[in-house]
Amino acid sequence: MALQRPQGTNDLLPSGSPTLKAFSSARGHEHVIGVARGVLERAGAQFMATPMFEEAEVVKRGVGGSTDIVRKEMFTVFYQGEHGGYVLRPEGTAPIVRAYIQNGLKQLPAPLKLWTTGAMFRAERNQQGRYRQFHQVDYEVLGSTDPLVDAEAIALMVRVVEALGLTGVGVKLGSIGDPEDRERYNAYLRELFTPERERLSGDSQDRLDRNPMRILDSKSDEDQRLIAGLHVQPMLAFLGEEARAHFEVVQGYLRAWGVPFEVDPSIVRGLDYYRRTAWELHHAHIGAKSALGGGGRYDGLAAQLGGPETPGIGWAFGVERLLIAMEQEGLVIPEPDGPALFLAAMDAENVPLVARVAMELRADAHVEFAYRAMKPGAAFKEADRKRARYAAVVGSNEAATGVLRVKALASGAQADVPLADLAAFLAQ
Ligand code: AMP
């Protein structure tokens, strides 16, 4: 049997592939990343990238030992039969902050705005919209605690989905407070859930010991029923004065700018490093549990990774999720332009000439040619199929005079163009 790709992964495919899906379209990925790049670079973000694997410690300390990601979703890297102490990165933030510390980026003017994109890896159960290798676009800002930076980050995330043409999207905004606030909240949750311990899923019993807030994020329906029955107070009720003031300012900016959002007291986010502002971007047709993206402030993360105290905030989109949402809204990824010129030889001996001319013209233009001799009718049909702007056929006559009859495919208009002038002709 022919070999298969690993479960839960996708090949990113060229247009027209028989098994093509919206989320596996290479052009779709390029489009989403290109649109995000435009929005983020116009806001002053610089591109950077980190390796696809990191020391396990970066992920354990960064993402947090009580998260599903660290407890059961990490891909460990073995080489030459040995456990290298590395894992494939499950997300982008902890690696960026690791790189920020290691490369002394603190010396750059703050706040430093960065963006990145690439594959992320989580050994999750295979489901629609949930893959073991998926792709994210990440935006991160380091070096500021200003709530204006939070509001700008959220507004940029919304700007990206708008620029993609998506409409059914909403921001669910929350705050998970400062560490002291979370301690008080966890103490409250511990008291509430301890008498119900036996009714919790095995995972959540574990969460009760390590980090009770995680229970609220549980994927188990049983847990969610119990949570609903207990009328659990939200984290927002436990915010300290400073975190509350910060949260109010963020909302004030968003309202002033007309960025639509709703406060959702249930936002807890699946990663341990968040602090204060946290949000998710949901799509009407993808389901409540499947966010398009999420983000939050992570002021404690740099110190957690052994670096100097550095506040930070960031977000990540799932590229596949965005493509699924676009498909559901009937949005079509624009086709790239076809060739400026399609050339074909009418007889075998002129094929090398056609190839040479095409390759020379490619210094400036998208030019394609036929590998075998073609009759003019077939050549123009092929040029149409490729959506070429111009087409020309080369026979012994054209080869001898060095002048091509170039046909504009849309209008049918023809012009005689010497080979030496073809580049200039295509440029105008
Ligand atoms: P997270 O880092 O968990 O906050 O995830 C950020 C975004 O990445 C999510 O909102 C999803 O859009 C996307 N994402 C996370 N996990 C997966 C996955 N297993 N497959 C596809 N997309 C994912």
Side-chain angles (χ1 to χ4, degrees):
M1 197 178 79
L3 297 174
Q4 308 281 307
R5 65 177 173 268
Q7 255 212 356
T9 65
N10 297 303
D11 298 310
L12 302 190
L13 298 166
S15 307
S17 308
T19 63
L20 188 69
K21 302 270 182 7
F23 58 80
S24 66
S25 154
R27 212 156 43 72
H29 277 249
E30 276 186 332
H31 176 68
V32 166
I33 293 164
V35 166
R37 172 192 293 123
V39 169
L40 297 176
E41 294 191 344
R42 287 194 295 275
Q46 296 185 73
F47 179 75
M48 73 169 282
T50 65
M52 291 214 199
F53 59 106
E54 287 281 344
E55 275 196 42
E57 203 54 22
V58 170
V59 174
K60 283 186 189 157
R61 277 205 251 164
V63 177
S66 70
T67 57
D68 280 355
I69 291 181
V70 168
R71 284 158 32 95
K72 30 187 191 187
E73 295 172 0
M74 289 206 292
F75 279 104
T76 302
V77 178
F78 285 78
Y79 52 87
Q80 298 187 0
E82 288 198 34
H83 182 337
Y86 298 117
V87 295
L88 299 183
R89 64 180 179 197
E91 56 94 51
T93 304
I96 293 263
V97 175
R98 192 269 311 138
Y100 177 91
I101 299 164
Q102 181 168 7
N103 298 288
L105 303 190
K106 204 170 178 131
Q107 290 170 33
L108 299 179
L112 182 62
K113 295 174 169 182
L114 303 165
W115 78 277
T116 193
T117 182
M120 306 293 161
F121 306 85
R122 299 183 193 177
E124 299 197 73
R125 242 180 329 140
N126 217 1
Q127 294 168 44
Q128 158 79 344
R130 200 171 282 284
Y131 312 105
R132 293 185 167 174
Q133 174 175 330
F134 59 99
H135 299 78
Q136 286 186 339
V137 171
D138 282 62
Y139 169 71
E140 313 285 350
V141 187
L142 287 135
S144 172
T145 56
D146 193 328
L148 178 52
V149 172
D150 305 33
E152 183 193 29
I154 296 166
L156 283 171
M157 200 174 188
V158 171
R159 178 62 65 83
V160 173
V161 291
E162 284 174 355
L164 287 170
L166 286 166
T167 52
V169 178
V171 177
K172 295 189 173 181
L173 182 65
S175 172
I176 51 178
D178 285 312
E180 318 76 89
D181 307 337
R182 285 162 77 170
E183 257 170 53
R184 279 190 288 124
Y185 190 49
N186 268 331
Y188 157 76
L189 293 176
R190 206 167 271 125
E191 208 163 286
L192 192 68
F193 282 107
T194 300
E196 312 291 337
R197 187 181 187 92
E198 298 309 316
R199 296 174 60 202
L200 287 168
S201 66
D203 276 347
S204 283
Q205 296 190 10
D206 205 43
R207 294 180 182 120
L208 183 56
D209 300 327
R210 292 159 174 267
N211 187 354
M213 268 179 83
R214 287 273 79 80
I215 296 174
L216 305 181
D217 227 6
S218 169
K219 288 176 193 140
S220 138
D221 293 338
E222 290 282 302
D223 287 350
Q224 288 302 336
R225 266 196 292 279
L226 181 64
I227 292 163
L230 285 175
H231 303 292
V232 182
Q233 284 197 57
M235 176 68 229
L236 281 184
F238 287 74
L239 293 190
E241 227 168 87
E242 285 179 39
R244 179 170 304 282
H246 187 99
F247 190 44
E248 291 300 329
V249 177
V250 173
Q251 293 178 62
Y253 282 122
L254 294 178
R255 270 187 222 108
W257 301 337
V259 177
F261 70 94
E262 58 175 297
V263 171
D264 182 340
S266 72
I267 293 286
V268 271
R269 305 281 299 127
L271 297 89
D272 267 1
Y273 50 59
Y274 286 113
R275 194 179 282 192
R276 296 197 177 180
T277 318
W279 70 92
E280 284 177 357
L281 213 77
H282 286 268
H283 190 262
H285 308 305
I286 289 209
K289 286 259 152 196
S290 310
L292 293 182
R297 178 164 276 289
Y298 49 79
D299 297 344
L301 178 57
Q304 189 80 19
L305 295 178
E309 282 287 346
T310 310
I313 183 165
W315 52 249
F317 272 124
V319 175
E320 288 83 355
R321 295 264 178 96
L322 286 171
L323 290 168
I324 292 169
M326 287 176 70
E327 183 186 37
Q328 283 173 344
E329 289 198 13
L331 295 167
V332 178
I333 312 282
E335 283 284 341
D337 289 341
L341 176 65
F342 179 73
L343 284 176
M346 283 190 275
D347 36 58
E349 70 251 33
N350 285 313
V351 170
L353 169 66
V354 155
R356 181 173 58 79
V357 170
M359 289 196 282
E360 280 172 11
L361 290 170
R362 284 176 188 168
D364 303 299
H366 174 177
V367 177
E368 298 190 28
F369 63 91
Y371 294 87
R372 283 181 304 160
M374 284 179 126
K375 295 213 165 77
F380 289 121
K381 215 165 162 188
E382 177 67 359
D384 259 336
R385 194 188 62 78
K386 288 181 176 288
R387 296 184 305 112
R389 195 145 46 96
Y390 295 104
V393 286
V394 178
S396 49
N397 204 5
E398 288 77 8
T401 58
V403 177
L404 302 192
R405 175 147 294 185
V406 178
K407 181 173 163 187
L409 288 160
S411 64
Q414 304 203 2
D416 289 329
V417 185
L419 282 176
D421 298 344
L422 257 182
F425 177 85
L426 294 178
Q428 38 113 324

